[in-house]
Amino acid sequence: AQTVTQSQPEMSVQEAETVTLSCTYDTSENNYYLFWYKQPPSRQMILVIRQEAYKQQNATENRFSVNFQKAAKSFSLKISDSQLGDTAMYFCAFMKPPYGQNFVFGPGTRLSVLP
Amino acid sequence: GAVVSQHPSWVICKSGTSVKIECRSLDFQATTMFWYRQFPKQSLMLMATSNEGSKATYEQGVEKDKFLINHASLTLSTLTVTSAHPEDSSFYICSAPGPNTEAFFGQGTRLTVV
C-alpha cells in the first residue's frame, strides 16, 4: 500500500517570502501521479499542482513549483512570493494508475502567511 | 472547468435518524466517485468508492450498512448515514476523477449529530 508523509504539521512564512513544504511517499509503482492540494478555511479542496512520475521536469504553476526526486521518493512544494491568501492546509497526494483511482493523502501541513 | 456539487453543505440531525448527502458532477460524467471523511485538523480518509450501476467498494473498517452509497446515474452519487450517532459527526467530502488525472472535489458536508 502507498503511504504519504508530511513531516511538518505547521509552518509559517512572512508575506512575500518563500517557503518549502516537504512530502515523501512510499510506493513500489514505477508510474504514478503526485499532487499538492490546498484546503483553505472554506474547506474546498483546490488543486495547486500536479506531477507525473514519468516526467523528469519539475512542474511549475506561477508562484508554485515542485522539487520531484523520484529516487528519493520526495515531492516538495515551493511557494514563492507568499500571499495572505496562501494561508491554508496543504495536502500532498498520491495516485496510482490506472486513471481514475482514489487519492492517498498525507496528513497535511498547516501554512500561515504572516503580514 | 469541471465542477462537483455537494449538498447539503451542513446538516444537523438527531441521533437515530438518517441523513443523505448528494454529490453531483455538473458538466461531466463520473462512473466513479469517491467518498472521504475528514476529522478536525486531520487528513482525508477514503471511506468508499462509488461505482455507477454496481455496488460500492468500502475501505476496511467502514460499515457498509451504516454508510449506504448509491450511484444510480453517471452524474449522481449519494451517501446516506443511517441511524446516525454523535460519533458520526464529521466532515464528508466527495470527489470525481477529472479528465486530466486530477480530482474534482465537492464543497464538503459538515454533519453534526445531536
Side-chain angles (χ1 to χ4, degrees), chain A residues 74-91:
Chain A
S74 171
F75 184 61
S76 61
L77 174 69
K78 185 172 80 171
I79 305 174
S80 304
D81 185 25
S82 297
Q83 301 176 0
L84 296 178
D86 295 333
T87 293
M89 282 289 290
Y90 286 81
F91 293 102

Side-chain angles (χ1 to χ4, degrees), chain B residues 11 13-19 21 36-40 47 62-63 65-67 79-92 109-114:
Chain B
V11 58
C13 71
K14 291 184 177 181
S15 186
T17 62
S18 296
V19 174
I21 303 170
Y36 296 87
R37 183 172 181 175
Q38 185 179 29
F39 290 103
M47 297 176 63
V62 177
E63 299 178 59
D65 293 331
K66 167 166 275 299
F67 298 100
L79 168 67
T80 301
V81 183
T82 63
S83 186
H85 291 283
E87 57 265 31
D88 298 325
S89 298
S90 192
F91 192 70
Y92 295 88
T109 298
R110 182 183 301 278
L111 170 64
T112 302
V113 185
V114 298

Side-chain angles (χ1 to χ4, degrees), chain B:
Chain B
V3 176
V4 171
S5 177
Q6 187 173 342
H7 178 81
S9 56
W10 61 271
V11 58
I12 301 173
C13 71
K14 291 184 177 181
S15 186
T17 62
S18 296
V19 174
K20 180 184 286 188
I21 303 170
E22 294 187 347
C23 182
R24 293 181 184 273
S25 57
L26 295 186
D27 53 0
F28 67 104
Q29 293 181 337
T31 56
T32 301
M33 290 186 178
F34 302 103
W35 288 95
Y36 296 87
R37 183 172 181 175
Q38 185 179 29
F39 290 103
K41 298 186 178 181
Q42 293 190 27
S43 188
L44 283 72
M45 299 299 296
L46 179 68
M47 297 176 63
T49 302
S50 174
N51 304 298
E52 187 270 334
S54 64
K55 291 182 178 180
T57 305
Y58 291 82
E59 295 300 298
Q60 190 173 8
V62 177
E63 299 178 59
K64 62 180 181 180
D65 293 331
K66 167 166 275 299
F67 298 100
L68 299 180
I69 290 173
N70 188 308
H71 197 147
S73 76
L74 288 172
T75 60
L76 174 64
S77 175
T78 60
L79 168 67
T80 301
V81 183
T82 63
S83 186
H85 291 283
E87 57 265 31
D88 298 325
S89 298
S90 192
F91 192 70
Y92 295 88
I93 306 177
C94 68
S95 77
N100 294 312
T101 73
E102 79 274 34
F104 294 100
F105 289 83
Q107 304 94 318
T109 298
R110 182 183 301 278
L111 170 64
T112 302
V113 185
V114 298

